[in-house]
Amino acid sequence: MPKIISLYPIKRKKHWFEIRFDNKSFFPINDELILKYLLKSGKSLNKSEIEKLRSEAGHLFLKRKALDILSRRRVSERELRQKLKVERRFSHHTDKVIKDLKNVGLIDDMTFAVSVISSILIGGPKSKMYIRQKLYQKGIPKDIIDKAIESELADYDEEQGALELARKKYKAVKSIPTLKAKKRVADFLRGRGFSWDIVNYCLDILFTKND
């Protein structure tokens, strides 16, 4: 039977070790499993024991990677799956890890979508199209985007939001020639995803009133 020849600490991965066997096989393992199975140099394990240990360790390693990602910022399920792809040797554990995280609420695309919408609007009014695009870029599925926008923006008045922004921009450009000022206001609103209908609505109000 293969015998453990070393348990070597992995740099920059606290509580993780590389377990090596005399048949030249090796894989990462954490201290939890070392204690659970009383592993130490010189101990022999049969093939089924090693495969069971490798599977448990792989699942825990990928889960730790996922938790490290989520500790920095919240992400969608699709984003997390993409980030976990770098750990190719443990990719077969991805579905189980995602399921574990969903069960404890650490992956919840609807909650994530709502928080993204709130963050976007903190910076000022944006169009629903702009918000929809940002949610899509975050990897949130279309059906959840639709539900989140319907839930959070049911009473959102895009025209008034655009007009609020346009008035602020107008104050900064009103001293320049009218055509240039109109273009800058229009570009400003278009950059925030507002349609030409809404842009023209704002231009008509601002420049008719102030001509």
Side-chain angles (χ1 to χ4, degrees):
M1 291 191 297
K3 184 183 295 184
I4 299 171
I5 58 173
S6 68
L7 289 162
Y8 190 79
I10 299 176
K11 291 181 179 179
R12 300 187 185 88
K13 290 191 183 297
K14 192 176 180 181
H15 306 302
W16 282 88
F17 298 78
E18 185 175 83
I19 184 170
R20 289 182 173 271
F21 295 87
D22 58 5
N23 64 356
K24 297 185 179 180
S25 64
F26 61 92
F27 51 87
I29 187 171
N30 70 353
D31 53 6
E32 177 185 334
L33 293 178
I34 291 173
L35 292 173
K36 179 180 178 180
Y37 293 108
L38 302 176
L39 302 175
K40 61 182 180 179
S41 295
K43 182 170 183 175
S44 296
L45 300 175
N46 61 40
K47 184 177 179 180
S48 63
E49 288 173 330
I50 291 175
E51 287 309 308
K52 180 183 178 183
L53 187 61
R54 187 194 299 272
S55 179
E56 285 189 55
H59 174 255
L60 289 173
F61 188 91
L62 199 65
K63 190 172 184 178
R64 181 70 264 167
K65 174 75 173 181
L67 290 171
D68 286 344
I69 292 168
L70 293 170
S71 70
R72 293 190 288 273
R73 69 178 181 90
R74 195 149 194 173
V75 297
S76 67
E77 178 181 339
R78 193 177 81 180
E79 278 185 304
L80 184 58
R81 285 182 179 276
Q82 189 65 34
K83 290 177 181 293
L84 292 178
K85 282 184 178 180
V86 298
E87 302 293 349
R88 293 181 182 177
R89 56 184 169 164
F90 305 122
S91 60
H92 53 291
H93 293 290
T94 301
D95 288 344
K96 177 67 166 59
V97 168
I98 295 293
K99 183 179 179 181
D100 289 347
L101 296 175
K102 281 185 172 182
N103 286 341
V104 295
L106 290 177
I107 288 291
D108 184 333
D109 280 351
M110 183 63 182
T111 300
F112 180 52
V114 169
S115 70
V116 171
I117 291 173
S118 297
S119 296
I120 290 172
L121 293 178
I122 285 174
K126 304 290 190 304
S127 72
K128 289 183 180 179
M129 182 62 70
Y130 178 95
I131 293 170
R132 184 179 293 278
Q133 183 64 26
K134 289 297 181 182
L135 292 173
Y136 178 78
Q137 290 171 359
K138 295 285 186 183
I140 299 171
K142 182 180 181 301
D143 61 322
I144 293 180
I145 291 174
D146 291 342
K147 289 177 183 177
I149 288 178
E150 182 180 350
S151 168
E152 299 303 303
L153 303 177
D155 300 321
Y156 183 61
D157 190 329
E158 282 191 274
E159 286 187 349
Q160 288 307 306
L163 188 57
E164 177 187 329
L165 287 174
R167 282 178 172 142
K168 290 179 181 178
K169 186 65 177 178
Y170 176 77
K171 290 179 181 179
V173 301
K174 64 182 180 180
S175 62
I176 66 176
T178 300
L179 286 178
K180 286 186 177 181
K182 280 187 174 182
K183 184 177 186 307
R184 290 192 185 179
V185 172
D187 289 346
F188 181 73
L189 294 177
R190 288 292 291 165
R192 282 148 184 78
F194 291 103
S195 68
W196 275 113
D197 286 343
I198 291 179
V199 170
N200 287 327
Y201 164 80
C202 295
L203 294 179
D204 287 345
I205 290 177
L206 289 176
F207 288 91
T208 299
K209 179 179 178 180
N210 293 286
D211 279 347

